[in-house]
Structures are given as structure tokens and as C-alpha cells.
Amino acid sequence: IYLFLSSFLVYTTNKYLIRKVVATSSKIKEFAIALSAFIGTLLYIYNPWTINRIHHHPPMVLSLASAYTFVFEVDKLLSRLDVKSCLPISTMLFISLKLALLLMFVATQPQALIIYLGFLLVVYVFASLIINGKTFLSKIFNRVVVVIVTLTLMLNMFWILPQFLTLMSGIREP
């Protein structure tokens, strides 16, 4: 189940990113995009390191795939928004639930949360700042994004708050 869910997450993310780069106009290009996303999924998920890890740490593979998909969802949200756009409450809640679920999957493995997701988000933000500049900053500080980030964090408080309190209180032993 871990491998199938991870493969699905990586395939949808690859397909979105390839579509964003390549403009489609015909069925042949759509097939080529699907084939490229499938091959990328095979290389990303079914490589020897992943197959070795799935026997010992099954949540690690799902965590890495969820981190990759989390960045894709953030990009999809920011590319959908204009500077002054507003989304319906139901859409904001749905996006927040998706991001909260992905963040929860990523947080099952601390190394994926800190190293992998942190690195991907930093690279995404710096690349977007270099490419888009002020429009990217205005999209980040949009009301919709602030509400979605707040809802996502509130939905994940069941694991964020105990970790934060443990770090702040200096407890070293359980």
C-alpha cells in the first residue's frame, strides 16, 4: 500500500510539473506527458534505494513522496491565485485538508520533514523569487494563502504542539 500510494503521488506530481513546462496541443503530446510522468515515477519510486527502504522503513517512502507532492500543491495554489483573488470557503478548506494530510504524511519521518521538505521549499521559494520577484511575494502574502496556511497548521496541531512544547521545555528523556 505504501508503494502504491507513493507511486500515485509522484505520478500526479510529475504529470503536473511536465504539463507546466510543456504546452500540450494534441493527444500525442498528452500521451508523451503521461509516459514521461510514468517513467519518472519508475525512476523515482522503484529505484534500488527505495526498494531497500520499503522493506525496513515503509513510511519513509510515503513521507518522501508526500513532501514532493506538498511542494506541488503549494505551487498549484500559488499559480492559481492572482494578487487580488479570493477563493470560496469550501475550496480553501479542501486545500487546507489536502495540505494538512500531506504534511501529516511527511511528518511521519522527521528526516523527510526537516531535510527533504525543508530543502524543497527553500529551493522553490528562492527560484520563484528569482524568476517572478514581486508578484511571487504578493501571492505569498495574499489573504487566501494566509488563511490556508493557518488552517493547515491548526489541523496539524495534534503533532506540532507536543513537539514544540518538548523542544521549548528542554526535555531530553521521555
Side-chain angles (χ1 to χ4, degrees):
I1 291 179
Y2 284 110
L3 207 54
F4 175 75
L5 187 56
S6 300
S7 300
F8 175 74
L9 290 174
V10 170
Y11 175 76
T12 56
T13 303
N14 283 344
K15 199 167 180 182
Y16 170 79
L17 293 175
I18 293 170
R19 270 194 192 135
K20 189 173 179 179
V21 173
V22 178
T24 60
S25 61
S26 68
K27 289 284 186 187
I28 296 172
K29 284 191 178 182
E30 188 64 35
F31 176 74
I33 288 173
L35 185 63
S36 304
F38 181 72
I39 291 171
T41 302
L42 287 178
L43 293 175
Y44 189 82
I45 292 294
Y46 295 100
N47 61 52
W49 181 86
T50 306
I51 296 301
N52 184 26
R53 293 286 179 228
I54 196 72
H55 292 295
H56 305 292
H57 307 287
M60 173 68 95
V61 177
L62 180 60
S63 182
L64 293 175
S66 298
Y68 187 54
T69 306
F70 186 86
V71 175
F72 142 67
E73 287 293 335
V74 168
D75 180 63
K76 192 165 97 173
L77 171 68
L78 291 177
S79 65
R80 187 183 340 180
L81 290 177
D82 288 334
V83 177
K84 301 214 183 238
S85 67
C86 188
L87 294 174
I89 298 294
S90 60
T91 305
M92 287 194 306
L93 187 61
F94 179 70
I95 292 171
S96 296
L97 285 172
K98 275 197 309 190
L99 289 175
L101 186 66
L102 287 170
L103 192 58
M104 185 182 68
F105 283 152
V106 172
T108 59
Q109 300 294 312
Q111 58 270 40
L113 180 65
I114 296 167
I115 298 170
Y116 196 69
L117 182 62
F119 177 74
L120 281 175
L121 283 177
V122 166
V123 167
Y124 175 74
V125 167
F126 279 130
S128 296
L129 280 174
I130 290 170
I131 294 169
N132 297 329
K134 290 183 181 181
T135 57
F136 179 73
L137 285 176
S138 63
K139 285 181 180 183
I140 284 182
F141 294 114
N142 189 341
R143 278 181 288 153
V144 173
V145 173
V146 170
V147 168
I148 288 174
V149 167
T150 305
L151 281 173
T152 302
L153 289 176
M154 295 305 278
L155 288 170
N156 278 291
M157 273 302 156
F158 71 93
W159 67 266
I160 293 175
L161 194 58
Q163 296 294 333
F164 181 74
L165 291 175
T166 303
L167 286 173
M168 289 299 131
S169 64
I171 298 173
R172 295 184 185 174
E173 297 177 14

Tab-separated table of all heavy atoms in Angstrom, residues 2-48:
chain	number	residue	atom	x	y	z
A	2	TYR	N	1.964	1.230	0.782
A	2	TYR	CA	2.846	2.392	0.818
A	2	TYR	C	3.422	2.698	-0.559
A	2	TYR	O	3.461	3.852	-0.985
A	2	TYR	CB	4.000	2.165	1.801
A	2	TYR	CG	3.621	2.285	3.240
A	2	TYR	CD1	3.589	1.177	4.066
A	2	TYR	CD2	3.318	3.517	3.788
A	2	TYR	CE1	3.250	1.282	5.391
A	2	TYR	CE2	2.973	3.642	5.112
A	2	TYR	CZ	2.945	2.526	5.916
A	2	TYR	OH	2.608	2.645	7.229
A	3	LEU	N	3.863	1.659	-1.235
A	3	LEU	CA	4.482	1.845	-2.536
A	3	LEU	C	3.468	2.318	-3.576
A	3	LEU	O	3.777	3.197	-4.391
A	3	LEU	CB	5.136	0.535	-2.976
A	3	LEU	CG	6.304	0.622	-3.919
A	3	LEU	CD1	7.376	1.541	-3.378
A	3	LEU	CD2	6.890	-0.751	-4.163
A	4	PHE	N	2.258	1.776	-3.542
A	4	PHE	CA	1.236	2.202	-4.493
A	4	PHE	C	0.832	3.658	-4.259
A	4	PHE	O	0.749	4.444	-5.212
A	4	PHE	CB	-0.002	1.296	-4.388
A	4	PHE	CG	-1.134	1.756	-5.243
A	4	PHE	CD1	-1.098	1.570	-6.623
A	4	PHE	CD2	-2.232	2.396	-4.695
A	4	PHE	CE1	-2.134	2.008	-7.427
A	4	PHE	CE2	-3.274	2.840	-5.492
A	4	PHE	CZ	-3.222	2.640	-6.863
A	5	LEU	N	0.586	4.033	-3.013
A	5	LEU	CA	0.202	5.413	-2.706
A	5	LEU	C	1.332	6.377	-3.042
A	5	LEU	O	1.093	7.453	-3.606
A	5	LEU	CB	-0.194	5.535	-1.235
A	5	LEU	CG	-0.767	6.873	-0.789
A	5	LEU	CD1	-1.986	7.257	-1.621
A	5	LEU	CD2	-1.138	6.812	0.681
A	6	SER	N	2.559	5.994	-2.745
A	6	SER	CA	3.710	6.837	-3.085
A	6	SER	C	3.838	6.990	-4.593
A	6	SER	O	4.106	8.088	-5.096
A	6	SER	CB	4.991	6.229	-2.519
A	6	SER	OG	4.922	6.120	-1.136
A	7	SER	N	3.639	5.910	-5.323
A	7	SER	CA	3.715	5.971	-6.784
A	7	SER	C	2.635	6.882	-7.348
A	7	SER	O	2.890	7.664	-8.271
A	7	SER	CB	3.562	4.585	-7.387
A	7	SER	OG	4.567	3.740	-6.943
A	8	PHE	N	1.432	6.784	-6.810
A	8	PHE	CA	0.345	7.643	-7.278
A	8	PHE	C	0.660	9.119	-7.029
A	8	PHE	O	0.448	9.967	-7.901
A	8	PHE	CB	-0.967	7.251	-6.589
A	8	PHE	CG	-2.107	8.155	-6.934
A	8	PHE	CD1	-2.711	8.085	-8.180
A	8	PHE	CD2	-2.574	9.092	-6.022
A	8	PHE	CE1	-3.757	8.929	-8.508
A	8	PHE	CE2	-3.608	9.941	-6.340
A	8	PHE	CZ	-4.213	9.868	-7.584
A	9	LEU	N	1.168	9.438	-5.839
A	9	LEU	CA	1.505	10.827	-5.520
A	9	LEU	C	2.593	11.372	-6.438
A	9	LEU	O	2.497	12.488	-6.954
A	9	LEU	CB	1.946	10.939	-4.059
A	9	LEU	CG	0.871	10.751	-3.003
A	9	LEU	CD1	1.483	10.732	-1.611
A	9	LEU	CD2	-0.187	11.821	-3.094
A	10	VAL	N	3.618	10.573	-6.670
A	10	VAL	CA	4.717	11.020	-7.530
A	10	VAL	C	4.256	11.131	-8.982
A	10	VAL	O	4.632	12.071	-9.683
A	10	VAL	CB	5.927	10.069	-7.386
A	10	VAL	CG1	6.984	10.361	-8.431
A	10	VAL	CG2	6.523	10.195	-5.999
A	11	TYR	N	3.423	10.205	-9.444
A	11	TYR	CA	2.931	10.266	-10.831
A	11	TYR	C	2.114	11.529	-11.069
A	11	TYR	O	2.324	12.229	-12.062
A	11	TYR	CB	2.096	9.024	-11.153
A	11	TYR	CG	1.470	9.077	-12.520
A	11	TYR	CD1	2.240	8.839	-13.653
A	11	TYR	CD2	0.125	9.386	-12.687
A	11	TYR	CE1	1.680	8.898	-14.913
A	11	TYR	CE2	-0.443	9.447	-13.939
A	11	TYR	CZ	0.328	9.207	-15.054
A	11	TYR	OH	-0.226	9.275	-16.301
A	12	THR	N	1.181	11.849	-10.170
A	12	THR	CA	0.369	13.060	-10.364
A	12	THR	C	1.226	14.315	-10.283
A	12	THR	O	1.004	15.267	-11.030
A	12	THR	CB	-0.768	13.132	-9.334
A	12	THR	OG1	-0.222	13.058	-8.016
A	12	THR	CG2	-1.775	12.039	-9.550
A	13	THR	N	2.212	14.318	-9.411
A	13	THR	CA	3.103	15.473	-9.315
A	13	THR	C	3.945	15.620	-10.573
A	13	THR	O	4.079	16.727	-11.110
A	13	THR	CB	4.009	15.340	-8.082
A	13	THR	OG1	3.193	15.194	-6.926
A	13	THR	CG2	4.904	16.549	-7.916
A	14	ASN	N	4.505	14.521	-11.053
A	14	ASN	CA	5.295	14.579	-12.292
A	14	ASN	C	4.463	15.057	-13.460
A	14	ASN	O	4.912	15.870	-14.267
A	14	ASN	CB	5.881	13.202	-12.610
A	14	ASN	CG	7.063	12.856	-11.757
A	14	ASN	OD1	7.663	13.715	-11.125
A	14	ASN	ND2	7.410	11.584	-11.728
A	15	LYS	N	3.247	14.557	-13.562
A	15	LYS	CA	2.377	14.944	-14.676
A	15	LYS	C	2.072	16.440	-14.637
A	15	LYS	O	2.101	17.118	-15.662
A	15	LYS	CB	1.094	14.123	-14.631
A	15	LYS	CG	0.342	14.083	-15.929
A	15	LYS	CD	-0.721	13.024	-15.895
A	15	LYS	CE	-1.452	12.998	-17.211
A	15	LYS	NZ	-2.526	12.040	-17.235
A	16	TYR	N	1.799	16.976	-13.446
A	16	TYR	CA	1.538	18.406	-13.309
A	16	TYR	C	2.765	19.228	-13.696
A	16	TYR	O	2.656	20.207	-14.434
A	16	TYR	CB	1.116	18.733	-11.873
A	16	TYR	CG	1.068	20.215	-11.597
A	16	TYR	CD1	-0.005	20.982	-12.019
A	16	TYR	CD2	2.104	20.849	-10.924
A	16	TYR	CE1	-0.045	22.339	-11.776
A	16	TYR	CE2	2.076	22.203	-10.678
A	16	TYR	CZ	1.003	22.941	-11.100
A	16	TYR	OH	0.970	24.295	-10.866
A	17	LEU	N	3.927	18.842	-13.194
A	17	LEU	CA	5.138	19.617	-13.475
A	17	LEU	C	5.524	19.560	-14.945
A	17	LEU	O	5.967	20.561	-15.511
A	17	LEU	CB	6.280	19.124	-12.590
A	17	LEU	CG	6.118	19.396	-11.101
A	17	LEU	CD1	7.240	18.752	-10.315
A	17	LEU	CD2	6.048	20.881	-10.820
A	18	ILE	N	5.338	18.410	-15.588
A	18	ILE	CA	5.650	18.310	-17.013
A	18	ILE	C	4.661	19.144	-17.824
A	18	ILE	O	5.049	19.837	-18.766
A	18	ILE	CB	5.657	16.833	-17.469
A	18	ILE	CG1	6.828	16.095	-16.816
A	18	ILE	CG2	5.764	16.732	-18.981
A	18	ILE	CD1	6.783	14.599	-16.999
A	19	ARG	N	3.383	19.114	-17.454
A	19	ARG	CA	2.391	19.941	-18.153
A	19	ARG	C	2.680	21.425	-17.986
A	19	ARG	O	2.406	22.214	-18.878
A	19	ARG	CB	0.992	19.664	-17.601
A	19	ARG	CG	0.279	18.586	-18.301
A	19	ARG	CD	-1.179	18.615	-17.934
A	19	ARG	NE	-1.805	17.397	-18.383
A	19	ARG	CZ	-2.626	16.670	-17.669
A	19	ARG	NH1	-2.941	17.042	-16.444
A	19	ARG	NH2	-3.141	15.577	-18.150
A	20	LYS	N	3.208	21.794	-16.847
A	20	LYS	CA	3.518	23.199	-16.603
A	20	LYS	C	4.652	23.677	-17.510
A	20	LYS	O	4.669	24.819	-17.940
A	20	LYS	CB	3.896	23.385	-15.132
A	20	LYS	CG	4.016	24.809	-14.714
A	20	LYS	CD	4.208	24.929	-13.235
A	20	LYS	CE	4.351	26.395	-12.877
A	20	LYS	NZ	4.515	26.592	-11.462
A	21	VAL	N	5.578	22.790	-17.812
A	21	VAL	CA	6.720	23.154	-18.639
A	21	VAL	C	6.408	23.008	-20.125
A	21	VAL	O	6.790	23.844	-20.931
A	21	VAL	CB	7.950	22.290	-18.259
A	21	VAL	CG1	9.100	22.528	-19.207
A	21	VAL	CG2	8.358	22.576	-16.835
A	22	VAL	N	5.691	21.955	-20.497
A	22	VAL	CA	5.413	21.659	-21.904
A	22	VAL	C	3.966	22.006	-22.214
A	22	VAL	O	3.057	21.544	-21.537
A	22	VAL	CB	5.660	20.155	-22.198
A	22	VAL	CG1	5.332	19.826	-23.630
A	22	VAL	CG2	7.075	19.782	-21.867
A	23	ALA	N	3.750	22.801	-23.229
A	23	ALA	CA	2.389	23.139	-23.648
A	23	ALA	C	1.817	21.994	-24.480
A	23	ALA	O	2.448	21.530	-25.422
A	23	ALA	CB	2.391	24.424	-24.467
A	24	THR	N	0.622	21.541	-24.109
A	24	THR	CA	0.006	20.431	-24.848
A	24	THR	C	-0.980	20.970	-25.866
A	24	THR	O	-1.689	21.930	-25.624
A	24	THR	CB	-0.736	19.481	-23.897
A	24	THR	OG1	-1.744	20.200	-23.223
A	24	THR	CG2	0.217	18.857	-22.909
A	25	SER	N	-0.994	20.315	-27.017
A	25	SER	CA	-1.951	20.722	-28.042
A	25	SER	C	-2.588	19.527	-28.736
A	25	SER	O	-3.539	19.692	-29.468
A	25	SER	CB	-1.263	21.610	-29.085
A	25	SER	OG	-0.233	20.884	-29.709
A	26	SER	N	-2.081	18.348	-28.529
A	26	SER	CA	-2.643	17.191	-29.219
A	26	SER	C	-2.627	15.978	-28.302
A	26	SER	O	-2.046	15.979	-27.229
A	26	SER	CB	-1.843	16.901	-30.495
A	26	SER	OG	-0.551	16.457	-30.157
A	27	LYS	N	-3.297	14.931	-28.763
A	27	LYS	CA	-3.359	13.687	-27.999
A	27	LYS	C	-1.985	13.025	-27.891
A	27	LYS	O	-1.678	12.382	-26.907
A	27	LYS	CB	-4.341	12.708	-28.648
A	27	LYS	CG	-5.773	13.107	-28.502
A	27	LYS	CD	-6.220	12.815	-27.096
A	27	LYS	CE	-7.707	13.091	-26.989
A	27	LYS	NZ	-8.174	13.000	-25.645
A	28	ILE	N	-1.156	13.185	-28.920
A	28	ILE	CA	0.167	12.579	-28.902
A	28	ILE	C	1.001	13.199	-27.791
A	28	ILE	O	1.684	12.505	-27.046
A	28	ILE	CB	0.857	12.720	-30.276
A	28	ILE	CG1	0.067	11.930	-31.322
A	28	ILE	CG2	2.306	12.264	-30.220
A	28	ILE	CD1	0.526	12.138	-32.730
A	29	LYS	N	0.923	14.517	-27.643
A	29	LYS	CA	1.687	15.171	-26.581
A	29	LYS	C	1.141	14.769	-25.209
A	29	LYS	O	1.910	14.625	-24.268
A	29	LYS	CB	1.651	16.682	-26.746
A	29	LYS	CG	2.551	17.170	-27.852
A	29	LYS	CD	2.681	18.668	-27.807
A	29	LYS	CE	3.623	19.137	-28.895
A	29	LYS	NZ	3.821	20.575	-28.871
A	30	GLU	N	-0.158	14.605	-25.100
A	30	GLU	CA	-0.738	14.172	-23.820
A	30	GLU	C	-0.255	12.771	-23.460
A	30	GLU	O	0.059	12.497	-22.296
A	30	GLU	CB	-2.263	14.218	-23.900
A	30	GLU	CG	-2.958	13.989	-22.598
A	30	GLU	CD	-2.673	15.057	-21.561
A	30	GLU	OE1	-2.516	16.224	-21.926
A	30	GLU	OE2	-2.612	14.693	-20.377
A	31	PHE	N	-0.179	11.900	-24.459
A	31	PHE	CA	0.360	10.563	-24.224
A	31	PHE	C	1.834	10.629	-23.842
A	31	PHE	O	2.284	9.906	-22.947
A	31	PHE	CB	0.179	9.690	-25.478
A	31	PHE	CG	0.794	8.337	-25.351
A	31	PHE	CD1	0.212	7.363	-24.557
A	31	PHE	CD2	1.982	8.032	-26.009
A	31	PHE	CE1	0.781	6.109	-24.425
A	31	PHE	CE2	2.564	6.790	-25.883
A	31	PHE	CZ	1.961	5.821	-25.086
A	32	ALA	N	2.588	11.500	-24.500
A	32	ALA	CA	4.013	11.647	-24.180
A	32	ALA	C	4.200	12.182	-22.759
A	32	ALA	O	5.125	11.763	-22.053
A	32	ALA	CB	4.680	12.579	-25.187
A	33	ILE	N	3.336	13.080	-22.323
A	33	ILE	CA	3.417	13.607	-20.963
A	33	ILE	C	3.118	12.505	-19.955
A	33	ILE	O	3.822	12.352	-18.947
A	33	ILE	CB	2.469	14.806	-20.783
A	33	ILE	CG1	3.029	16.010	-21.529
A	33	ILE	CG2	2.248	15.138	-19.316
A	33	ILE	CD1	2.114	17.201	-21.563
A	34	ALA	N	2.070	11.709	-20.229
A	34	ALA	CA	1.733	10.610	-19.325
A	34	ALA	C	2.855	9.575	-19.281
A	34	ALA	O	3.204	9.083	-18.204
A	34	ALA	CB	0.427	9.955	-19.771
A	35	LEU	N	3.446	9.278	-20.424
A	35	LEU	CA	4.549	8.323	-20.476
A	35	LEU	C	5.774	8.863	-19.733
A	35	LEU	O	6.430	8.139	-18.980
A	35	LEU	CB	4.902	7.992	-21.933
A	35	LEU	CG	5.956	6.919	-22.134
A	35	LEU	CD1	5.481	5.584	-21.599
A	35	LEU	CD2	6.312	6.818	-23.602
A	36	SER	N	6.062	10.142	-19.911
A	36	SER	CA	7.197	10.758	-19.207
A	36	SER	C	6.978	10.744	-17.703
A	36	SER	O	7.906	10.468	-16.936
A	36	SER	CB	7.393	12.200	-19.667
A	36	SER	OG	7.563	12.279	-21.032
A	37	ALA	N	5.752	11.045	-17.278
A	37	ALA	CA	5.451	11.019	-15.842
A	37	ALA	C	5.570	9.601	-15.289
A	37	ALA	O	6.061	9.404	-14.177
A	37	ALA	CB	4.050	11.574	-15.599
A	38	PHE	N	5.141	8.623	-16.071
A	38	PHE	CA	5.242	7.229	-15.640
A	38	PHE	C	6.697	6.786	-15.509
A	38	PHE	O	7.087	6.152	-14.525
A	38	PHE	CB	4.488	6.325	-16.626
A	38	PHE	CG	4.522	4.883	-16.253
A	38	PHE	CD1	3.780	4.417	-15.168
A	38	PHE	CD2	5.290	3.984	-16.973
A	38	PHE	CE1	3.808	3.081	-14.809
A	38	PHE	CE2	5.333	2.648	-16.627
A	38	PHE	CZ	4.587	2.199	-15.543
A	39	ILE	N	7.524	7.143	-16.483
A	39	ILE	CA	8.944	6.785	-16.424
A	39	ILE	C	9.622	7.499	-15.251
A	39	ILE	O	10.430	6.909	-14.534
A	39	ILE	CB	9.638	7.096	-17.764
A	39	ILE	CG1	9.126	6.133	-18.840
A	39	ILE	CG2	11.149	7.013	-17.644
A	39	ILE	CD1	9.561	6.466	-20.238
A	40	GLY	N	9.262	8.766	-15.034
A	40	GLY	CA	9.804	9.489	-13.887
A	40	GLY	C	9.404	8.850	-12.569
A	40	GLY	O	10.203	8.793	-11.627
A	41	THR	N	8.182	8.348	-12.504
A	41	THR	CA	7.728	7.658	-11.298
A	41	THR	C	8.504	6.369	-11.086
A	41	THR	O	8.895	6.044	-9.967
A	41	THR	CB	6.225	7.363	-11.389
A	41	THR	OG1	5.533	8.587	-11.573
A	41	THR	CG2	5.718	6.663	-10.156
A	42	LEU	N	8.723	5.637	-12.162
A	42	LEU	CA	9.509	4.404	-12.050
A	42	LEU	C	10.921	4.695	-11.540
A	42	LEU	O	11.438	3.988	-10.676
A	42	LEU	CB	9.587	3.691	-13.397
A	42	LEU	CG	8.324	3.003	-13.875
A	42	LEU	CD1	8.559	2.386	-15.255
A	42	LEU	CD2	7.870	1.957	-12.897
A	43	LEU	N	11.534	5.745	-12.062
A	43	LEU	CA	12.891	6.075	-11.635
A	43	LEU	C	12.920	6.612	-10.211
A	43	LEU	O	13.877	6.375	-9.479
A	43	LEU	CB	13.506	7.096	-12.597
A	43	LEU	CG	13.782	6.603	-14.009
A	43	LEU	CD1	14.286	7.745	-14.886
A	43	LEU	CD2	14.772	5.467	-13.996
A	44	TYR	N	11.897	7.346	-9.827
A	44	TYR	CA	11.878	7.978	-8.505
A	44	TYR	C	11.498	6.993	-7.404
A	44	TYR	O	12.100	6.987	-6.341
A	44	TYR	CB	10.893	9.151	-8.525
A	44	TYR	CG	10.925	10.010	-7.301
A	44	TYR	CD1	11.878	10.997	-7.157
A	44	TYR	CD2	9.990	9.846	-6.284
A	44	TYR	CE1	11.909	11.806	-6.035
A	44	TYR	CE2	10.009	10.650	-5.155
A	44	TYR	CZ	10.969	11.629	-5.045
A	44	TYR	OH	10.994	12.417	-3.935
A	45	ILE	N	10.495	6.172	-7.644
A	45	ILE	CA	9.986	5.285	-6.599
A	45	ILE	C	10.606	3.895	-6.665
A	45	ILE	O	10.940	3.320	-5.635
A	45	ILE	CB	8.441	5.183	-6.696
A	45	ILE	CG1	7.823	6.522	-6.323
A	45	ILE	CG2	7.894	4.096	-5.803
A	45	ILE	CD1	8.031	6.926	-4.878
A	46	TYR	N	10.775	3.363	-7.843
A	46	TYR	CA	11.239	1.978	-7.958
A	46	TYR	C	12.737	1.880	-8.234
A	46	TYR	O	13.182	1.069	-9.034
A	46	TYR	CB	10.441	1.243	-9.032
A	46	TYR	CG	8.991	1.109	-8.670
A	46	TYR	CD1	8.038	1.965	-9.203
A	46	TYR	CD2	8.584	0.163	-7.753
A	46	TYR	CE1	6.703	1.856	-8.846
A	46	TYR	CE2	7.254	0.051	-7.392
A	46	TYR	CZ	6.326	0.897	-7.945
A	46	TYR	OH	5.014	0.793	-7.585
A	47	ASN	N	13.527	2.674	-7.556
A	47	ASN	CA	14.978	2.553	-7.665
A	47	ASN	C	15.481	1.649	-6.539
A	47	ASN	O	14.751	1.366	-5.596
A	47	ASN	CB	15.647	3.930	-7.660
A	47	ASN	CG	15.369	4.690	-6.382
A	47	ASN	OD1	15.577	4.176	-5.289
A	47	ASN	ND2	14.914	5.917	-6.519
A	48	PRO	N	16.715	1.174	-6.615
A	48	PRO	CA	17.200	0.231	-5.589
A	48	PRO	C	17.166	0.781	-4.162
A	48	PRO	O	16.865	0.046	-3.221
A	48	PRO	CB	18.635	-0.063	-6.032
A	48	PRO	CG	18.638	0.199	-7.485
A	48	PRO	CD	17.658	1.309	-7.710
